[in-house]
Each structure stands twice: as C-alpha cells, then as structure tokens.
Amino acid sequence: MTTNKKLIGVDLGGTTIKFSILTADGEVQQKWSQETNVLSEGNFIIPDIIESINHHLDLYKMSADEFIGIGMGTPGGVNRKEGSVSGAFNLNWNENHKVFPVRDITEGTGIKTYLENDANVAALGEKWKGAGNNSDNVVFVTLGTGVGGGVILNGKLVTGIAGGAGEIGHITVDPKGYDCNCGKKGCLETVASATGIVRVARDLAEEYSGDSKLKSMLDDGEDISAKDVYDLAKVDDVLALKVVDKVSMYLGLALGNVANTLNPEFIVVGGGVSAAGDFLLEHINEYFLKYTFPLVKETTKLKLATLGNGAGVIGAASLVIEGE
Ligand code: ZN
C-alpha cells in the first residue's frame, strides 16, 4: 500500500498489552507496552487502551488523521460482525460479559478499529513479516501453554462460520487420550502444549526402567518443563528422546492432516516450545513426511516462526490493511 499514513497494532494479553506504530508496509516505528489491569471484571482494559493510545500520540505529536486504522488481537471469542469479544477468561470477560472494542476504541481515539482473535493475528504476523514470507497460503501453529493456530488461504484469514477455524490444538490425535479443557479427549493440546509434553514425560517415565536423567528428575519429584525434556533429548537422554518422539508423532500426524486438507506453502511452528529450534522441527518433520501424500510432501514445508512475541502486534496491524 503506498501511503504515508500509519497503522497501530495492539496485542491484548492476560498480563500485558503491547502496542506498536507501523508504516503501511509493516515496519515498526514505535512500540510500548503496559500491564493488563483485569480487576473489576476487566472493565478498565478498553479505557486503558484508549488512554494509552491517545497519550502516546500526544507524546509523538501525532494526530488521529495520520492513521489508516488500529488492529487489535484479543483472547476469547471474537464476533467480527459485532466487533465484540466474550469468553476471554484471563481478562475476566466471561461468556456473559460481552465487550465491544471496535465501537469503543474507534470512538475513543477517532481511528477506525479492527479486531481478531490472538492466535489468528499471530498467524497474520508470521505470514506478513515472519517465516510465512508473505505467502498467500500459510498455516501457523503455536505450541505454548496451549496449542493454538491460524489459517490463511488464498491470502485470506479463514475464520469459519463461528470463528472456530484454525483450532489446530483441538484436532484429535488419540481418541482414548487425556481429557482436554474443551471437553473432548485426546486433543493435540493435551500432548503437545508445554504442560502436555510434561504429561507425556510422566507417563512414559512410569513404564521406563533404564538409565535417564529425566527419569531420575521425575522420580525425585522435581518440577520439570518442556524445555528440560528437549534439552535432555538433545544430549541423548533415552527417556527424553522417547518423549520427543511421541510428541513429534502427534504433531506430525495433526499437521500432516492439516497439510493434506489445505496444502499451504508453509506450516509455521511458533510459541514457547518452538525455542527447541531445528531439533524440534526435524523430529516433527520425520512424521510429517510419513503422514502426507506425495504432492503435499513435495510442496508444503514446515518452518520455525521468526517473530516470537512480536507476531501478534504486527499481525494485528495487518488487519487494518486487510480491512481497507
Ligand atoms: Zn480440546
């Protein structure tokens, strides 16, 4: 887009709110952040965002008419038609507490505002300025506290009839598996999130009797993390390698089937667990290749995310371009 007008990206999270001012080409020019005040049923959050934007525009001597729009990513269920959010429990916006950020922020700042769910904006960010290489066909999966995802096909974010598209974390990978927060059994999230990986490690440790640092840590009741599992696997701890192999099988199966269905150019893997880097990716790829059919195997590539925590705010800003 050739314009001197700028974009504002807002990434609303349960602990911090990140803000950026970007050019229409997605170059970040200013950024700041503040704590999320979730007290009083989260009623301070939207007024805080409006005040913070207005305050910073003052600070930078900028005015509302220098902006094309504001894009915001938020937890919870987004109703695009209404520009509303509900069910963002970490913001204290439960199902009965509907918030209207599009209306309120547009009114409060004088800048047109766009809204999308946080996993989807992270997907848009990686597509636009990260590992997605601005391809029109990108799937993003984030392995963190939970497993989230976003799908961009033919240049458009896929939302589905009720905003439920791209929920890769709830693909069933084991019909007899662990209970998931969503009410189902054996979702990818139950075995491939940071806590899921530890759960798999505990289970495999019970039936393992060989030599392993991971085994003795677990037997000693130490608190272990997904990072411990990957770090130990990298130095050939036998139990840790078994855990990584099992988790990779589940991820390869889920992402393989996503690829068989959508044939994106890239599946970008991000989130805290992806800090395990190429080691993580190579192990997933082994199974990914096993579970994809030839045309997809040859054309869909797994990649590591490159933007880290910055993906959300950049992707949020890109909502404005998409909306114009
Ligand atoms: Zn689930």
Side-chain angles (χ1 to χ4, degrees):
M1 193 178 275
T2 42
T3 169
N4 291 326
K5 287 200 176 191
K6 300 190 194 307
L7 315 169
I8 294 176
V10 182
D11 182 11
L12 170 56
T15 52
T16 54
I17 311 170
K18 298 191 198 76
F19 300 83
S20 281
I21 295 176
L22 305 89
T23 64
D25 297 325
E27 186 199 325
V28 176
Q29 296 196 312
Q30 303 282 357
K31 54 179 172 181
W32 70 96
S33 67
Q34 65 183 48
E35 266 178 54
T36 314
N37 180 357
V38 298
L39 295 176
S40 181
E41 297 186 327
N43 279 325
F44 295 118
I45 295 173
I46 298 300
D48 279 357
I49 289 171
I50 295 167
E51 199 195 311
S52 187
I53 290 171
N54 288 337
H55 171 71
H56 279 82
L57 295 197
D58 267 359
L59 211 64
Y60 303 135
K61 300 191 174 15
M62 301 178 89
S63 60
D65 58 14
E66 291 172 63
F67 292 89
I68 310 166
I70 297 170
M72 183 166 98
T74 173
V78 169
N79 181 325
R80 271 195 157 194
K81 226 177 197 165
E82 291 184 343
S84 65
V85 188
S86 61
F89 296 98
N90 55 347
L91 302 176
N92 283 333
W93 296 343
N94 60 32
E95 298 297 351
N96 304 318
H97 184 143
K98 202 184 264 188
V99 176
F100 293 85
V102 168
R103 179 195 68 201
D104 293 352
I105 299 175
T106 302
E107 275 177 18
T109 60
I111 304 170
K112 194 170 176 192
T113 300
Y114 302 83
L115 188 68
E116 189 46 74
N117 127 320
D118 48 8
N120 283 343
V121 300
L124 287 169
E126 282 292 341
K127 172 231 190 269
W128 194 26
K129 291 289 156 182
N133 225 1
N134 212 18
S135 164
D136 278 343
N137 295 283
V138 177
V139 170
F140 177 67
V141 59
T142 168
L143 311 176
T145 338
V147 173
V151 172
I152 296 138
L153 272 191
N154 304 324
K156 288 275 172 208
L157 187 68
V158 178
T159 55
I161 188 76
E167 289 285 357
I168 293 170
H170 300 290
I171 292 177
T172 305
V173 290
D174 179 1
K176 293 186 185 132
Y178 308 107
D179 291 334
C180 182
N181 293 328
C182 74
K184 214 152 73 61
K185 261 188 200 311
C187 295
L188 181 65
E189 179 166 293
T190 66
V191 288
S193 62
T195 44
I197 293 166
V198 173
R199 187 183 285 143
V200 172
R202 284 190 198 289
D203 264 17
L204 292 186
E206 266 182 37
E207 58 198 54
Y208 181 77
S209 55
D211 215 22
S212 155
K213 173 129 191 266
L214 180 61
K215 165 90 175 158
S216 43
M217 285 168 83
L218 284 164
D219 288 350
D220 290 344
E222 282 183 46
D223 255 340
I224 66 150
S225 65
K227 183 177 185 303
D228 294 327
V229 173
Y230 276 88
D231 285 349
L232 286 167
K234 284 177 186 174
V235 294
D236 293 331
D237 183 285
V238 180
L239 176 61
L241 281 169
K242 282 180 189 292
V243 177
V244 167
D245 186 64
K246 189 148 196 192
V247 169
S248 305
M249 184 275 285
Y250 289 130
L251 279 164
L253 176 64
L255 298 182
N257 284 330
V258 167
N260 290 335
T261 313
L262 305 174
N263 189 205
E265 186 172 3
F266 303 114
I267 296 183
V268 178
V269 182
V273 174
S274 74
D278 290 331
F279 182 83
L280 170 99
L281 206 66
E282 280 159 20
H283 279 81
I284 302 173
N285 204 40
E286 240 172 73
Y287 286 99
F288 179 76
L289 295 176
K290 185 172 166 183
Y291 295 129
T292 42
F293 70 95
L295 178 66
V296 168
K297 202 193 306 259
E298 286 153 22
T299 50
T300 296
K301 292 269 170 296
L302 294 183
K303 275 180 107 175
L304 286 170
T306 60
L307 297 178
N309 285 335
V313 80
I314 293 174
S318 79
L319 291 171
V320 177
I321 306 282
E322 199 192 349
E324 284 297 298

